[in-house]
Amino acid sequence: MQKKTLLSIVVCFTMTTLYAQKTEPADTLKGQTLDEVVVAQRRKLIKNDIDKLTYDVQHDKTAQTKTTLEILKKIPLVTVDGQENIRVQGSTSFKVYKNGHPDPSLSGQNLKDILKAIPASTIKRIEVITDPGAKYDAEGTTAILNIVMMSSSKLQGVSGNVNSKIDSYGSVRLGTYLTTKVGKLTTTVNYNYANQNKKQTENYREEAYNYVKTGEQKREYGTNSTAATIHFGNISASYEIDSLNLMTASANFFGYKADANTQNTNERWDKNSLLIYKFDNNMTTPGYSDLNLGGRFDYQHKTHLDGEVLTLSYMLAATRPQTTFRQTYSNMVNFPVSYTSYDQNTRERFTEHTFQIDYVRPFGKHHKIESGTKYILRNNNSTSLMDYQGTTPDMESKFKHKAQVAAAYLSYILTAGKWAARAGLRYEFTRMKASYPDGSNADYHANLNDWVPSASLQYKISDGQTLKFSYNTSINRPGIGYLNPAIISTPTAVSFGNANLGSSRNQKLQLEYMLVTSKLTLQLSPYYSFTNNGIGRILYEQNRKDVSTFQNILKSKIFGISSYTAWTPFTGTSFTLNASMRYARITLPTPYIKNSGCGGGIYFDWEQKIPWKLTLTTSLGGEYGNRVYNPYAIEGHWFYYNFTLTRRFLKDKLTVSLSAESPFVKERSTTYRIVQGDYTGYERAVMKPQCFKIGLSWKFGKLRASVKKAARSIENDDLVGSNKK
């Protein structure tokens, strides 16, 4: 039945495609009629430079009615799946910057909600940086998405956007975006509210493990859901003193409060299928909140030499997560511990100060030098309390961690005819100090020295073809979530951090070919990356409990290829295909474990203009094969599809959209298979993907200016395992 329905939809779309060729003009065509002859030229929206790939959002006419999340689907190397999860080159290990610097709100699990709140019409371009050079820190990610907002204009006045969306689950999102310009001062304010109904996340989960050494079996099954309330926003301002001097400042916040509920049944059996224990547990979060605050100030000075820029920057970032998990047990048979419930209370305090100087100077037409220095001061404090109801004594753990990072970089860029080259070197010194106010461990300190080289070479084959080879190195430093040695113990599991973790290093080689024509854009990018001291989660069994901690011992080798194709065969019709494939081999030396697999993702979008000024967008895709991201497990495959119908009213000021996500699927399951280690088995989740949404967006005012930004600013993205992303 589903196949027949999909076939009917395809036939219908094909007919509307042919009809639309005669009724709708092209979005990106500029024409002039001379004696019934039309001279048309299509602007190339994609540009591939030595240091980045750029998508020209400003001149994409469809951006006037899209959100930033929607426009990401049109950008090479970037994919957005049916659950609105974002990947760059098939990986979720990337960072999002705004105007060349990180924004604390553009991180974490709610990134998609934030990008949905930013109108694409306020964006000038989006840059994809897959081989960050020396100026971008040794930031621990292999890719960066840099969103560059529209620059200020000479217009005065107010412009804004109000948008909302509600879905069939009962979840609601409201947002507003306002820009004002008076004289030399430009201000932008945005605020967003989202309420996630628990029905949106309701699912059934089942876990089944076989323990290799003992032959015992464990099974856990039940349901869970999470309701959440989210508030986020920022205010930015720029003051253009004169044509050579610019000051910018911003402040932002992100607040999150969740109400989670999990009901599970746990069973453990011996090798002869005799019951060892059984119990039910109910987990709630009576106190689960997170507050992120940030601020930034930049002063930019340009000289009369075109391209010479000096930037002074300061950034403050602070996170204040506070968590209370409550576990209650019932229907107990041979219960393995001496308590019937417990509260786990965790409070973390993270504060970061960053000072930075950047300097750029061109030499003639072909040479440019980029240099800079940076100092970061980080303070982490955490308190963890396990409050048991029973004979088990309560446990409290306090941990303090301080880190100082000093860095300097030098980068050289050469452009000569069809050739372009870039080479850079970055040095980072890190001093880490840990202390234990409760006296549970001895204080310690460590010094880390990291040299981070990078290089790229690009050849312009023709006006629309480029070939680029690049080498890049990145490092990861552990955050407090990985370092905190507090022991969290439950009847079935134990977890704790490792205060002795150091930085890890990843190296990547990449070849990139790109073809850009008036109707077709094609990009192919094979790559190879490897690391010998990756920070990874270590899993093992001890005393019938699953133990989890972290170590610097992962070795990984990854071969992959990503591709992007954008084709506009007819007026009003466009296709986009993002596809990737990767082979990964990840090993642990002690005890020796090897896990490998080949898989990838395919994401397809079809945008079609149809009669009555409607635009129909069809998206489908998913993940395939055996995808490996750690030494123990293989990710399962899955598939999605959705449809969106959009109509603009009142001179394009009002946009109405209707969406259907997996309308013919009531249930979908994904399986996560554990194939290596002390225990093997699977984790399976069953969700309800079927969802219908209606969205409204209203634009007002005529001002098209946005806050002007410094050409250089601060990026801190070297931490893993921390609330500060």
Side-chain angles (χ1 to χ4, degrees):
M1 178 64 185
Q2 293 181 14
K3 293 182 179 179
K4 292 182 179 179
T5 304
L6 290 174
L7 180 61
S8 301
I9 293 172
V10 171
V11 173
C12 179
F13 285 173
T14 303
M15 296 302 295
T16 55
T17 299
L18 297 175
Y19 182 82
Q21 294 178 50
K22 301 178 181 180
T23 59
E24 294 293 338
D27 283 347
T28 57
L29 293 179
K30 294 184 177 181
Q32 182 180 5
T33 303
L34 299 173
D35 297 330
E36 299 183 354
V37 176
V38 177
V39 179
Q41 182 177 1
R42 186 181 302 274
R43 178 184 292 272
K44 294 181 180 179
L45 300 178
I46 298 173
K47 183 181 179 183
N48 195 20
D49 294 318
I50 184 66
D51 55 345
K52 60 183 175 292
L53 183 147
T54 304
Y55 188 86
D56 187 358
V57 181
Q58 180 182 5
H59 292 98
D60 183 347
K61 298 300 182 183
T62 66
Q64 298 301 312
T65 59
K66 292 183 181 293
T67 66
T68 301
L69 185 70
E70 291 171 327
I71 211 71
L72 284 180
K73 294 183 178 181
K74 307 180 71 173
I75 298 177
L77 305 173
V78 182
T79 59
V80 182
D81 66 22
Q83 285 71 47
E84 298 178 335
N85 299 309
I86 306 168
R87 288 178 172 83
V88 179
Q89 277 195 325
S91 173
T92 57
S93 178
F94 67 92
K95 298 296 179 183
V96 181
Y97 294 163
K98 183 189 289 185
N99 300 295
H101 64 83
D103 186 325
S105 65
L106 295 176
S107 62
Q109 297 179 351
N110 297 289
L111 172 63
K112 59 186 179 182
D113 294 311
I114 298 166
L115 295 180
K116 282 190 290 187
I118 302 176
S121 59
T122 65
I123 296 174
K124 184 175 183 179
R125 64 182 183 272
I126 296 178
E127 300 170 349
V128 184
I129 305 168
T130 56
D131 58 327
K135 69 179 181 181
Y136 283 104
D137 281 356
E139 56 211 16
T141 58
T142 56
I144 296 171
L145 287 180
N146 183 31
I147 300 173
V148 181
M149 309 303 290
M150 297 279 285
S151 59
S152 299
S153 69
K154 296 181 180 180
L155 298 175
Q156 304 291 312
V158 178
S159 178
N161 174 283
V162 178
N163 56 82
S164 65
K165 182 167 285 189
I166 185 170
D167 62 34
S168 55
Y169 294 119
S171 299
V172 178
R173 182 178 62 82
L174 304 171
T176 182
Y177 189 98
L178 179 68
T179 297
T180 63
K181 191 172 191 298
V182 179
K184 296 181 178 181
L185 178 65
T186 306
T187 306
T188 295
V189 179
N190 82 76
Y191 167 75
N192 296 272
Y193 164 83
N195 180 272
Q196 176 181 283
N197 192 294
K198 68 177 183 179
K199 293 181 180 180
Q200 185 174 344
T201 59
E202 283 181 348
N203 66 84
Y204 169 83
R205 294 187 62 85
E206 180 184 43
E207 301 178 4
Y209 302 137
N210 297 310
Y211 291 87
V212 176
K213 296 179 182 179
T214 63
E216 295 179 354
Q217 298 178 350
K218 188 181 77 170
R219 185 167 179 254
E220 181 177 339
Y221 52 93
T223 60
N224 61 72
S225 62
T226 302
T229 302
I230 307 166
H231 299 268
F232 55 92
N234 61 50
I235 178 170
S236 303
S238 67
Y239 184 77
E240 194 169 7
I241 302 172
D242 53 41
S243 60
L244 300 178
N245 296 279
L246 173 70
M247 292 190 301
T248 68
S250 70
N252 54 70
F253 72 93
F254 176 85
Y256 179 86
K257 187 174 183 179
D259 180 12
N261 187 283
T262 299
Q263 295 178 330
N264 285 335
T265 296
N266 293 262
E267 302 172 351
R268 191 170 184 123
W269 308 79
D270 67 14
K271 63 181 180 180
N272 297 316
S273 299
L274 296 177
L275 181 67
I276 299 175
Y277 63 72
K278 180 178 180 179
F279 62 90
D280 295 337
N281 75 288
N282 181 52
M283 187 277 291
T284 58
T285 55
Y288 186 94
S289 62
D290 193 359
L291 177 63
N292 294 356
L293 301 172
R296 191 187 91 256
F297 175 81
D298 296 301
Y299 168 71
Q300 176 182 282
H301 173 70
K302 295 183 178 180
T303 70
H304 292 285
L305 176 63
D306 186 26
E308 186 176 24
V309 182
L310 173 68
T311 308
L312 308 177
S313 304
Y314 166 74
M315 185 172 72
L316 169 67
T319 63
R320 299 293 184 265
Q322 186 165 334
T323 304
T324 299
F325 289 100
R326 178 167 296 160
Q327 293 272 7
T328 305
Y329 302 101
S330 60
N331 301 321
M332 297 170 285
V333 178
N334 300 327
F335 196 48
V337 294
S338 59
Y339 54 86
T340 57
S341 65
Y342 71 85
D343 287 352
Q344 175 189 330
N345 299 283
T346 303
R347 190 178 74 168
E348 296 180 4
R349 296 291 183 267
F350 174 90
T351 305
E352 177 184 80
H353 302 273
T354 304
F355 304 87
Q356 184 169 316
I357 302 174
D358 294 282
Y359 177 66
V360 179
R361 191 187 193 285
F363 292 89
K365 296 181 179 180
H366 306 295
H367 310 275
K368 183 168 69 173
I369 295 292
E370 298 175 332
S371 61
T373 60
K374 184 175 188 176
Y375 172 74
I376 308 172
L377 175 62
R378 291 178 176 141
N379 284 296
N380 282 300
N381 297 277
S382 72
T383 301
S384 300
L385 173 65
M386 296 293 292
D387 183 8
Y388 296 99
Q389 283 71 54
T391 60
T392 301
D394 297 342
M395 296 178 59
E396 184 176 18
S397 174
K398 294 184 178 181
F399 177 60
K400 291 184 177 182
H401 183 262
K402 182 177 181 180
Q404 299 179 75
V405 181
Y409 73 89
L410 181 65
S411 180
Y412 167 71
I413 297 176
L414 168 68
T415 54
K418 294 185 175 183
W419 292 91
R422 184 193 66 188
L425 182 64
R426 187 180 189 91
Y427 170 72
E428 297 196 355
F429 171 78
T430 307
R431 179 176 177 83
M432 298 191 300
K433 182 179 181 181
S435 60
Y436 305 85
D438 55 3
S440 58
N441 290 280
D443 296 351
Y444 86 97
H445 72 273
N447 297 330
L448 305 175
N449 293 275
D450 293 292
W451 291 92
V452 187
S454 61
S456 298
L457 180 65
Q458 179 177 281
Y459 177 68
K460 188 176 181 181
I461 303 172
S462 63
D463 187 47
Q465 293 186 84
T466 57
L467 186 67
K468 184 173 71 171
F469 176 77
S470 61
Y471 165 77
N472 188 61
T473 303
S474 61
I475 62 174
N476 279 114
R477 297 185 188 92
I480 194 169
Y482 286 13
L483 293 164
N484 189 350
I487 298 175
I488 307 300
S489 178
T490 74
T492 61
V494 175
S495 64
F496 54 91
N498 181 357
N500 296 309
L501 291 175
S503 60
S504 65
R505 175 184 295 266
N506 182 76
Q507 300 181 74
K508 183 178 181 181
L509 298 170
Q510 180 168 288
L511 183 67
E512 183 180 293
Y513 168 77
M514 175 157 284
L515 170 67
V516 180
T517 68
S518 60
K519 290 189 175 183
L520 176 68
T521 298
L522 175 66
Q523 188 267 351
L524 293 173
S525 183
Y527 62 91
Y528 168 64
S529 65
F530 61 95
T531 184
N532 291 318
N533 65 337
I535 301 175
R537 186 182 295 272
I538 306 301
L539 306 175
Y540 58 94
E541 182 199 14
Q542 188 176 66
N543 300 325
R544 284 183 172 163
K545 288 191 176 185
D546 301 334
V547 183
S548 169
T549 186
F550 303 92
Q551 291 186 28
N552 277 99
I553 58 175
L554 285 187
K555 297 179 182 292
S556 68
K557 295 181 179 180
I558 300 173
F559 300 87
I561 182 170
S562 60
S563 68
Y564 168 86
T565 305
W567 183 37
T568 307
F570 313 118
T571 298
T573 302
S574 63
F575 301 97
T576 303
L577 175 65
N578 265 298
S580 64
M581 181 177 67
R582 68 192 288 273
Y583 169 80
R585 181 188 179 199
I586 303 176
T587 60
L588 286 175
T590 306
Y592 182 76
I593 293 176
K594 182 185 75 171
N595 192 20
S596 61
C598 184
I602 298 176
Y603 302 91
F604 175 76
D605 284 272
W606 178 359
E607 188 171 289
Q608 179 63 55
K609 290 188 177 299
I610 59 178
W612 304 296
K613 297 183 179 180
L614 294 168
T615 300
L616 180 63
T617 303
T618 304
S619 300
L620 57 92
E623 304 285 334
Y624 67 90
N626 295 324
R627 295 171 295 121
V628 170
Y629 298 99
N630 64 61
Y632 305 102
I634 294 176
E635 300 276 356
H637 60 271
W638 55 274
F639 172 79
Y640 79 93
Y641 61 95
N642 56 51
F643 310 100
T644 301
L645 195 63
T646 305
R647 176 69 154 83
R648 288 178 283 177
F649 301 91
L650 305 177
K651 297 181 179 180
D652 296 341
K653 291 185 178 294
L654 175 65
T655 302
V656 180
S657 64
L658 301 174
S659 302
E661 297 181 1
S662 301
F664 309 114
V665 178
K666 293 186 178 181
E667 287 188 350
R668 175 182 295 137
S669 65
T670 59
T671 303
Y672 179 84
R673 291 183 289 137
I674 296 98
V675 296
Q676 302 288 348
D678 286 1
Y679 51 90
T680 61
Y682 68 88
E683 300 175 7
R684 186 170 67 95
V686 181
M687 298 159 286
K688 299 178 180 179
Q690 188 182 79
C691 181
F692 302 91
K693 299 179 181 181
I694 181 170
L696 301 174
S697 177
W698 170 260
K699 295 191 299 183
F700 58 88
K702 297 182 179 180
L703 177 66
R704 295 179 62 87
S706 291
V707 175
K708 205 164 187 178
K709 299 294 179 179
R712 287 286 186 278
S713 192
I714 294 171
E715 306 103 2
N716 291 344
D717 292 291
D718 53 314
L719 290 180
V720 294
S722 171
N723 280 285
K724 195 270 179 188
K725 302 293 183 182

